[in-house]
Amino acid sequence: MSTAAPDGAPALDLTPAGTAAPWAARVLRQAAFEAKVALRNGEQLLLTLVLPALVLVGVTRVGSLDLGTGDRPALALGGVLALAVVSTAFTGQAIGTGFDRRNGVLRLLATSPLGRSGLLAGKVLAVGALVVVQVLVLAAIALPLGWTPTAGALTAVPALLLGIAAFTALGLLLAGTVRAEGTLAVANFVWVLLLAGGGLVLPSPLAPVSDLLPSGALGTAVREALATGTVAVGPLLVLAVWTAACGLACARWFRWE
């Protein structure tokens, strides 16, 4: 559509340039954007890479810590990978989404062509991409600490994927129901609690209660996968139940503003 213009001036063309990109392309762009923002954020890098790396070195070298039965470097790496998933999918995601919600970013994006489903899918994919980076970095650090990669390590993939889904849903549930400042405090406090006694890095003294928590299930599943090359079916079922429950809770109570 063109509008009339003064003599000698070009007509103003108001015809739309084209339709929105396909849904999948929009989701991938949003995921890439969120991943880049996280990697450029110093606080996020401290939480997602620096602290897990320090924990990995510490638990591998301190022989007095009981990691369970099996190869110590493999057990240490498995536990720290579980911690890394929680750091990114729960703590980092909850804090980032909470402040986006407070600042009105979520409301604006929800009304864009991306839509609510696209925004949430982009966040999950961004978490997955960040976890891949964490796995590569932490595995590289574990090599000089004595860890030997084996084909059995691939059995940790289902646990990591379910862990990403469960803890992303938990993080979004927290961010969508609590004020940003409260989300910041709760997310960091829960991270410390899960590290200390949630069964992530070390077998929890509170088992079997901790085995029913997503943290205990994730830690057990990843440690067993890396140490023995086996799939821990019970913990995977626990993670699946938490994923479904938190996903339904998000659909019911998540507030966009």
Side-chain angles (χ1 to χ4, degrees):
M1 178 181 66
S2 300
T3 60
D7 293 341
L12 180 62
D13 188 1
L14 299 181
T15 303
T19 59
W23 184 84
R26 299 197 298 268
V27 169
L28 289 176
R29 290 172 186 170
Q30 180 65 24
F33 170 77
E34 299 217 11
K36 289 177 182 178
V37 169
L39 290 174
R40 292 172 181 171
N41 187 302
E43 294 180 0
Q44 286 273 39
L45 287 178
L46 175 66
L47 178 68
T48 59
L49 285 176
V50 177
L51 290 179
L54 293 176
V55 173
L56 175 60
V57 175
V59 297
T60 305
R61 293 303 190 192
V62 180
S64 59
L65 293 175
D66 181 15
L67 301 183
T69 303
D71 180 66
R72 187 173 186 85
L75 290 170
L77 177 60
V80 173
L81 288 180
L83 175 66
V85 168
V86 173
S87 299
T88 299
F90 174 71
T91 310
Q93 192 61 241
I95 294 172
T97 304
F99 281 94
D100 282 348
R101 174 173 166 249
R102 188 193 69 175
N103 296 331
V105 175
L106 289 187
R107 177 175 54 82
L108 292 175
L109 288 177
T111 58
S112 71
L114 181 66
R116 297 185 177 187
S117 61
L119 176 60
L120 294 179
K123 287 183 175 295
V124 174
L125 286 179
V127 170
L130 292 173
V131 170
V132 170
V133 174
Q134 290 174 303
V135 169
L136 295 175
V137 171
L138 293 173
I141 295 174
L143 289 173
L145 295 175
W147 175 62
T148 302
T150 63
L154 294 176
T155 58
V157 172
L160 292 175
L161 292 177
L162 279 174
I164 290 171
F167 279 100
T168 300
L170 274 171
L172 292 175
L173 179 61
L174 177 62
T177 54
V178 180
R179 294 179 60 183
E181 293 77 10
T183 297
L184 175 65
V186 172
N188 284 316
F189 182 64
V190 169
W191 187 89
V192 174
L193 284 181
L194 295 182
L195 172 61
L200 281 172
V201 179
L202 307 175
S204 174
L206 301 177
V209 175
S210 64
D211 294 339
L212 299 178
L213 298 176
S215 58
L218 177 60
T220 299
V222 181
R223 287 197 304 271
E224 287 191 13
L226 291 186
T228 66
T230 59
V231 175
V233 177
L236 292 183
L237 290 176
V238 171
L239 285 172
V241 170
W242 275 94
T243 299
C246 292
L248 291 173
C250 278
R252 173 65 178 84
W253 289 298
F254 188 92
R255 298 194 301 271
W256 292 84
E257 55 183 286

